[in-house]
Amino acid sequence: MSDWREKLVVGKQELPPRICIFGGHGIGKSTLASQFPKPIFISTEDGLSSLDVVSFPRAETVDDVAQAIRTLIKEDHDFKTVVVDSVDWLVEPLVTSDIESKHDAKELAYGKGQMMIAEAFRELLTGLDVLRKKRDMNVVLIAHASIVRYEDPRSEPYDRYQPKLPNRCNALLQEWVDVLAFAGFRIIVKKSDVGFNNSVTRGITTGERLLHMVENPAYVAKNRYACPDTIPMVYEKIIESIPVKQ
């Protein structure tokens, strides 16, 4: 009879990171992802034409995405990073339209449709995990940001940024990734006197792009590494804290 202790895993497991970068349009999320080691893009939307990158043909269906993942799992290649651009367009419309095409309204009622969508999304994340574990690939997901009302039991409700995904998929994504980074411009708040004891408050950007790695009331964020709260949005700063596979 074998000793059960022989099967124990000891020490750190140096797996490549799973990173989601989310933020507004045009801030440079795809450009940043293109700087990761030997990336290949699985594209679900337009927007890569200005980048000199390798990508699968734009996915028109969720099966196109699944087939791209299977190809990277099974075929010989030297890519080090898989980039899904964007994950919100993967869920809506691709996963959503696939589920809706296979089920009638009765089957999708009472939240069952959202559960099916989340489960299909989970299967795709599982495929990406295989790439990470079996092919030693970094996983980078790009997402757009949306502003949502957050009900915090410790305070009054407030608005914050989060990835633009349905609630179930959003919770799944946030749990799955090792790093959830909000990309935004540095904002300086200034008050101006407009006379008669009145003032106006304005937000002014310096143009500096930042990645926020720790959650605060303005946005969701997380990291499983010893990352600073905020870093400049450049690849060289990312690899100072995150063990990206080279």
Side-chain angles (χ1 to χ4, degrees), residues 90-101 114 117 166:
L90 167 59
V91 174
E92 293 181 330
L94 300 189
V95 173
T96 300
S97 60
D98 182 66
I99 295 297
E100 290 176 348
S101 70
Q114 289 301 313
I117 291 168

Side-chain angles (χ1 to χ4, degrees), residues 18 124-134 139 176:
R18 298 166 295 190
L124 293 169
L125 294 180
T126 299
L128 294 172
D129 247 343
V130 174
L131 285 176
R132 172 176 170 256
K133 294 174 181 177
K134 302 298 184 183
V139 179
W176 184 78

Side-chain angles (χ1 to χ4, degrees), residues 33-164:
S34 72
Q35 297 168 4
F36 278 71
K38 294 185 179 179
I40 182 167
F41 279 67
I42 300 175
S43 177
T44 61
E45 60 171 294
D46 294 327
L48 292 181
S49 58
S50 61
L51 294 178
D52 184 12
V53 296
V54 178
S55 69
F56 288 96
R58 178 184 170 183
E60 301 291 341
T61 67
V62 68
D63 288 338
D64 292 341
V65 176
Q67 182 56 47
I69 294 172
R70 285 193 292 267
T71 297
L72 291 173
I73 292 171
K74 296 178 180 179
E75 303 298 331
D76 291 335
H77 61 81
D78 64 350
F79 295 110
K80 298 294 185 183
T81 304
V82 58
V83 181
V84 179
D85 190 1
S86 65
V87 69
D88 44 296
W89 277 62
L90 167 59
V91 174
E92 293 181 330
L94 300 189
V95 173
T96 300
S97 60
D98 182 66
I99 295 297
E100 290 176 348
S101 70
K102 295 176 179 177
H103 302 274
D104 60 31
K106 184 177 180 180
E107 294 173 312
L108 300 173
Y110 305 109
K112 289 181 287 186
Q114 289 301 313
M115 292 177 65
M116 294 179 191
I117 291 168
E119 185 55 36
F121 181 48
R122 184 194 301 273
E123 291 178 5
L124 293 169
L125 294 180
T126 299
L128 294 172
D129 247 343
V130 174
L131 285 176
R132 172 176 170 256
K133 294 174 181 177
K134 302 298 184 183
R135 300 304 300 261
D136 210 31
M137 295 183 73
N138 307 298
V139 179
V140 179
L141 308 180
I142 302 300
H144 298 96
S146 63
I147 300 174
V148 298
R149 193 74 167 167
Y150 181 62
E151 301 283 344
D152 191 330
R154 300 167 299 178
S155 69
E156 293 294 321
Y158 54 86
D159 293 339
R160 69 175 184 175
Y161 289 102
Q162 69 176 33
K164 190 179 179 181

Side-chain angles (χ1 to χ4, degrees), residues 124-222:
L124 293 169
L125 294 180
T126 299
L128 294 172
D129 247 343
V130 174
L131 285 176
R132 172 176 170 256
K133 294 174 181 177
K134 302 298 184 183
R135 300 304 300 261
D136 210 31
M137 295 183 73
N138 307 298
V139 179
V140 179
L141 308 180
I142 302 300
H144 298 96
S146 63
I147 300 174
V148 298
R149 193 74 167 167
Y150 181 62
E151 301 283 344
D152 191 330
R154 300 167 299 178
S155 69
E156 293 294 321
Y158 54 86
D159 293 339
R160 69 175 184 175
Y161 289 102
Q162 69 176 33
K164 190 179 179 181
L165 291 170
N167 289 338
R168 289 181 183 272
C169 293
N170 220 321
L172 182 59
L173 173 71
Q174 292 181 37
E175 179 182 353
W176 184 78
V177 295
D178 301 306
V179 176
L180 179 65
F182 172 62
F185 291 103
R186 183 185 294 278
I187 301 294
I188 298 173
V189 177
K190 288 190 174 183
K191 282 189 175 182
S192 301
D193 185 2
V194 294
F196 302 102
N197 294 321
N198 292 318
S199 64
V200 295
T201 302
R202 295 182 300 157
I204 301 173
T205 178
T206 64
E208 181 184 4
R209 295 174 170 89
L210 301 173
L211 283 180
H212 302 279
M213 304 287 201
V214 176
E215 182 170 336
N216 78 16
Y219 45 77
V220 298
K222 66 173 273 192

